[in-house]
Amino acid sequence: KVRLHQQMIKGILQMNTSMFEISLKVGNCIALHINPRFDENAIVRNSLLNMCWGTEERHLPCGMPLMRGQPFTIWIQCEAHCFKVAVNGHHQFDYNHRICNLRINLLEVDGDITLTNIQA
């Protein structure tokens, strides 16, 4: 069973940032790990289940939507079968759930950013 909910993360990227991370956790597992990597021009997505990382997803239909030194808003909508992720108002990707009985209990954000607002 999945509870529908959404998270919103607002912040400003530092000029020298190389990456930051957003993790939605279920106990010791990470249901969704979002890792923008500026040196690779990618937003890597993955899950950590039973202490093992799964297969990375990297495809972005319109390229990297985040820019160093710029403000951003990331919306993560949890739906029945996937997370839908938008950056600055534009849908970027879906990420299919890899955990059954999904109950997010922690949102972690880390890296070279200044957070201005989080709603969970």
Side-chain angles (χ1 to χ4, degrees):
K1 220 174 189 183
V2 173
R3 290 186 298 171
L4 299 180
H5 59 278
Q6 65 182 12
Q7 285 80 28
M8 185 267 303
I9 300 103
K10 280 187 165 185
I12 301 170
L13 296 165
Q14 295 177 8
M15 285 302 292
N16 62 345
T17 189
S18 60
M19 58 155 267
F20 69 96
E21 303 172 326
I22 299 169
S23 295
L24 299 179
K25 299 182 93 176
V26 178
N28 292 328
C29 296
I30 300 176
L32 174 62
H33 180 75
I34 300 173
N35 180 216
R37 297 181 188 171
F38 293 90
D39 296 339
E40 298 175 32
N41 207 32
I43 298 178
V44 177
R45 291 90 67 185
N46 207 341
S47 295
L48 180 68
L49 309 174
N50 299 319
M51 306 295 286
C52 295
W53 286 105
T55 303
E56 289 184 349
E57 296 180 17
R58 294 173 167 257
H59 176 72
L60 292 171
C62 299
M64 173 62 95
L66 298 162
M67 293 176 51
R68 290 179 173 123
Q70 297 296 311
F72 68 88
T73 302
I74 296 175
W75 286 94
I76 305 169
Q77 176 73 38
C78 183
E79 299 201 346
H81 300 287
C82 69
F83 294 101
K84 292 189 174 292
V85 179
V87 177
N88 299 330
H90 300 283
H91 179 262
Q92 295 298 316
F93 56 84
D94 292 347
Y95 184 83
N96 291 330
H97 296 308
R98 299 181 185 178
I99 295 179
C100 299
N101 298 320
L102 185 63
R103 293 188 185 274
I104 304 297
N105 61 4
L106 184 63
L107 167 67
E108 289 183 342
V109 182
D110 189 26
D112 302 324
I113 61 173
T114 301
L115 291 174
T116 57
N117 192 3
I118 293 180
Q119 293 178 7

PDB file of all heavy atoms in Angstrom, residues 98-114:
ATOM      1  N   ARG A  98      10.525   0.580  -6.037  1.00  0.00           N
ATOM      2  CA  ARG A  98      11.254  -0.670  -5.885  1.00  0.00           C
ATOM      3  C   ARG A  98      11.021  -1.286  -4.512  1.00  0.00           C
ATOM      4  O   ARG A  98      11.580  -2.323  -4.187  1.00  0.00           O
ATOM      5  CB  ARG A  98      12.753  -0.452  -6.110  1.00  0.00           C
ATOM      6  CG  ARG A  98      13.065   0.057  -7.513  1.00  0.00           C
ATOM      7  CD  ARG A  98      14.550   0.237  -7.708  1.00  0.00           C
ATOM      8  NE  ARG A  98      14.859   0.824  -9.005  1.00  0.00           N
ATOM      9  CZ  ARG A  98      16.087   1.122  -9.407  1.00  0.00           C
ATOM     10  NH1 ARG A  98      17.128   0.877  -8.628  1.00  0.00           N
ATOM     11  NH2 ARG A  98      16.282   1.667 -10.591  1.00  0.00           N
ATOM     12  N   ILE A  99      10.206  -0.613  -3.688  1.00  0.00           N
ATOM     13  CA  ILE A  99       9.871  -1.096  -2.343  1.00  0.00           C
ATOM     14  C   ILE A  99       8.360  -1.288  -2.262  1.00  0.00           C
ATOM     15  O   ILE A  99       7.592  -0.396  -2.647  1.00  0.00           O
ATOM     16  CB  ILE A  99      10.311  -0.086  -1.262  1.00  0.00           C
ATOM     17  CG1 ILE A  99      11.826   0.050  -1.223  1.00  0.00           C
ATOM     18  CG2 ILE A  99       9.774  -0.481   0.112  1.00  0.00           C
ATOM     19  CD1 ILE A  99      12.330   1.056  -0.200  1.00  0.00           C
ATOM     20  N   CYS A 100       7.935  -2.444  -1.749  1.00  0.00           N
ATOM     21  CA  CYS A 100       6.514  -2.682  -1.489  1.00  0.00           C
ATOM     22  C   CYS A 100       6.170  -2.073  -0.130  1.00  0.00           C
ATOM     23  O   CYS A 100       7.042  -1.864   0.706  1.00  0.00           O
ATOM     24  CB  CYS A 100       6.215  -4.173  -1.485  1.00  0.00           C
ATOM     25  SG  CYS A 100       6.579  -4.983  -3.040  1.00  0.00           S
ATOM     26  N   ASN A 101       4.905  -1.801   0.102  1.00  0.00           N
ATOM     27  CA  ASN A 101       4.458  -1.214   1.370  1.00  0.00           C
ATOM     28  C   ASN A 101       5.276   0.039   1.706  1.00  0.00           C
ATOM     29  O   ASN A 101       5.862   0.164   2.770  1.00  0.00           O
ATOM     30  CB  ASN A 101       4.550  -2.222   2.514  1.00  0.00           C
ATOM     31  CG  ASN A 101       3.652  -3.407   2.280  1.00  0.00           C
ATOM     32  OD1 ASN A 101       2.522  -3.242   1.805  1.00  0.00           O
ATOM     33  ND2 ASN A 101       4.124  -4.594   2.583  1.00  0.00           N
ATOM     34  N   LEU A 102       5.310   0.946   0.764  1.00  0.00           N
ATOM     35  CA  LEU A 102       6.117   2.156   0.851  1.00  0.00           C
ATOM     36  C   LEU A 102       5.550   3.119   1.893  1.00  0.00           C
ATOM     37  O   LEU A 102       4.422   3.566   1.780  1.00  0.00           O
ATOM     38  CB  LEU A 102       6.141   2.822  -0.532  1.00  0.00           C
ATOM     39  CG  LEU A 102       7.017   4.027  -0.721  1.00  0.00           C
ATOM     40  CD1 LEU A 102       8.478   3.667  -0.517  1.00  0.00           C
ATOM     41  CD2 LEU A 102       6.828   4.568  -2.131  1.00  0.00           C
ATOM     42  N   ARG A 103       6.348   3.418   2.906  1.00  0.00           N
ATOM     43  CA  ARG A 103       5.980   4.404   3.934  1.00  0.00           C
ATOM     44  C   ARG A 103       7.219   5.238   4.243  1.00  0.00           C
ATOM     45  O   ARG A 103       8.008   4.894   5.112  1.00  0.00           O
ATOM     46  CB  ARG A 103       5.463   3.728   5.197  1.00  0.00           C
ATOM     47  CG  ARG A 103       4.146   3.014   4.986  1.00  0.00           C
ATOM     48  CD  ARG A 103       3.596   2.527   6.308  1.00  0.00           C
ATOM     49  NE  ARG A 103       2.406   1.738   6.106  1.00  0.00           N
ATOM     50  CZ  ARG A 103       1.187   2.244   6.011  1.00  0.00           C
ATOM     51  NH1 ARG A 103       0.999   3.532   6.087  1.00  0.00           N
ATOM     52  NH2 ARG A 103       0.151   1.449   5.844  1.00  0.00           N
ATOM     53  N   ILE A 104       7.353   6.344   3.522  1.00  0.00           N
ATOM     54  CA  ILE A 104       8.503   7.235   3.691  1.00  0.00           C
ATOM     55  C   ILE A 104       8.485   7.789   5.119  1.00  0.00           C
ATOM     56  O   ILE A 104       7.477   8.328   5.565  1.00  0.00           O
ATOM     57  CB  ILE A 104       8.465   8.400   2.678  1.00  0.00           C
ATOM     58  CG1 ILE A 104       8.398   7.880   1.242  1.00  0.00           C
ATOM     59  CG2 ILE A 104       9.647   9.349   2.883  1.00  0.00           C
ATOM     60  CD1 ILE A 104       9.572   7.073   0.788  1.00  0.00           C
ATOM     61  N   ASN A 105       9.606   7.660   5.841  1.00  0.00           N
ATOM     62  CA  ASN A 105       9.638   8.211   7.195  1.00  0.00           C
ATOM     63  C   ASN A 105      10.754   9.235   7.392  1.00  0.00           C
ATOM     64  O   ASN A 105      10.888   9.784   8.475  1.00  0.00           O
ATOM     65  CB  ASN A 105       9.719   7.095   8.237  1.00  0.00           C
ATOM     66  CG  ASN A 105      10.968   6.239   8.098  1.00  0.00           C
ATOM     67  OD1 ASN A 105      11.833   6.504   7.272  1.00  0.00           O
ATOM     68  ND2 ASN A 105      11.059   5.204   8.905  1.00  0.00           N
ATOM     69  N   LEU A 106      11.560   9.496   6.332  1.00  0.00           N
ATOM     70  CA  LEU A 106      12.628  10.474   6.484  1.00  0.00           C
ATOM     71  C   LEU A 106      13.008  11.049   5.125  1.00  0.00           C
ATOM     72  O   LEU A 106      13.144  10.306   4.150  1.00  0.00           O
ATOM     73  CB  LEU A 106      13.859   9.807   7.125  1.00  0.00           C
ATOM     74  CG  LEU A 106      15.048  10.707   7.453  1.00  0.00           C
ATOM     75  CD1 LEU A 106      14.677  11.768   8.487  1.00  0.00           C
ATOM     76  CD2 LEU A 106      16.208   9.859   7.957  1.00  0.00           C
ATOM     77  N   LEU A 107      13.161  12.355   5.088  1.00  0.00           N
ATOM     78  CA  LEU A 107      13.663  13.063   3.909  1.00  0.00           C
ATOM     79  C   LEU A 107      15.014  13.645   4.295  1.00  0.00           C
ATOM     80  O   LEU A 107      15.113  14.385   5.273  1.00  0.00           O
ATOM     81  CB  LEU A 107      12.700  14.188   3.504  1.00  0.00           C
ATOM     82  CG  LEU A 107      13.210  15.209   2.489  1.00  0.00           C
ATOM     83  CD1 LEU A 107      13.434  14.570   1.128  1.00  0.00           C
ATOM     84  CD2 LEU A 107      12.228  16.377   2.373  1.00  0.00           C
ATOM     85  N   GLU A 108      16.074  13.276   3.561  1.00  0.00           N
ATOM     86  CA  GLU A 108      17.410  13.803   3.818  1.00  0.00           C
ATOM     87  C   GLU A 108      17.885  14.588   2.606  1.00  0.00           C
ATOM     88  O   GLU A 108      17.694  14.152   1.466  1.00  0.00           O
ATOM     89  CB  GLU A 108      18.411  12.671   4.075  1.00  0.00           C
ATOM     90  CG  GLU A 108      18.220  11.962   5.384  1.00  0.00           C
ATOM     91  CD  GLU A 108      19.292  10.894   5.632  1.00  0.00           C
ATOM     92  OE1 GLU A 108      19.960  10.467   4.682  1.00  0.00           O
ATOM     93  OE2 GLU A 108      19.427  10.509   6.800  1.00  0.00           O
ATOM     94  N   VAL A 109      18.506  15.734   2.864  1.00  0.00           N
ATOM     95  CA  VAL A 109      19.101  16.549   1.812  1.00  0.00           C
ATOM     96  C   VAL A 109      20.512  16.888   2.262  1.00  0.00           C
ATOM     97  O   VAL A 109      20.718  17.310   3.399  1.00  0.00           O
ATOM     98  CB  VAL A 109      18.297  17.843   1.561  1.00  0.00           C
ATOM     99  CG1 VAL A 109      18.896  18.647   0.431  1.00  0.00           C
ATOM    100  CG2 VAL A 109      16.824  17.534   1.276  1.00  0.00           C
ATOM    101  N   ASP A 110      21.484  16.697   1.362  1.00  0.00           N
ATOM    102  CA  ASP A 110      22.872  16.936   1.716  1.00  0.00           C
ATOM    103  C   ASP A 110      23.628  17.430   0.489  1.00  0.00           C
ATOM    104  O   ASP A 110      23.281  17.080  -0.637  1.00  0.00           O
ATOM    105  CB  ASP A 110      23.507  15.637   2.224  1.00  0.00           C
ATOM    106  CG  ASP A 110      24.890  15.850   2.824  1.00  0.00           C
ATOM    107  OD1 ASP A 110      25.164  16.970   3.303  1.00  0.00           O
ATOM    108  OD2 ASP A 110      25.688  14.908   2.798  1.00  0.00           O
ATOM    109  N   GLY A 111      24.638  18.258   0.702  1.00  0.00           N
ATOM    110  CA  GLY A 111      25.488  18.692  -0.403  1.00  0.00           C
ATOM    111  C   GLY A 111      25.699  20.189  -0.448  1.00  0.00           C
ATOM    112  O   GLY A 111      25.403  20.899   0.505  1.00  0.00           O
ATOM    113  N   ASP A 112      26.211  20.641  -1.594  1.00  0.00           N
ATOM    114  CA  ASP A 112      26.608  22.036  -1.773  1.00  0.00           C
ATOM    115  C   ASP A 112      25.437  22.927  -2.190  1.00  0.00           C
ATOM    116  O   ASP A 112      25.428  23.478  -3.297  1.00  0.00           O
ATOM    117  CB  ASP A 112      27.731  22.122  -2.830  1.00  0.00           C
ATOM    118  CG  ASP A 112      28.929  21.293  -2.443  1.00  0.00           C
ATOM    119  OD1 ASP A 112      29.234  21.227  -1.240  1.00  0.00           O
ATOM    120  OD2 ASP A 112      29.561  20.725  -3.340  1.00  0.00           O
ATOM    121  N   ILE A 113      24.446  23.030  -1.315  1.00  0.00           N
ATOM    122  CA  ILE A 113      23.280  23.862  -1.584  1.00  0.00           C
ATOM    123  C   ILE A 113      22.894  24.618  -0.316  1.00  0.00           C
ATOM    124  O   ILE A 113      23.284  24.234   0.787  1.00  0.00           O
ATOM    125  CB  ILE A 113      22.060  23.037  -2.070  1.00  0.00           C
ATOM    126  CG1 ILE A 113      21.629  22.016  -1.011  1.00  0.00           C
ATOM    127  CG2 ILE A 113      22.363  22.353  -3.389  1.00  0.00           C
ATOM    128  CD1 ILE A 113      20.343  21.305  -1.344  1.00  0.00           C
ATOM    129  N   THR A 114      22.136  25.685  -0.500  1.00  0.00           N
ATOM    130  CA  THR A 114      21.531  26.397   0.609  1.00  0.00           C
ATOM    131  C   THR A 114      20.045  26.143   0.514  1.00  0.00           C
ATOM    132  O   THR A 114      19.400  26.508  -0.471  1.00  0.00           O
ATOM    133  CB  THR A 114      21.809  27.901   0.512  1.00  0.00           C
ATOM    134  OG1 THR A 114      23.226  28.107   0.523  1.00  0.00           O
ATOM    135  CG2 THR A 114      21.165  28.659   1.664  1.00  0.00           C
TER     136      THR A 114
END
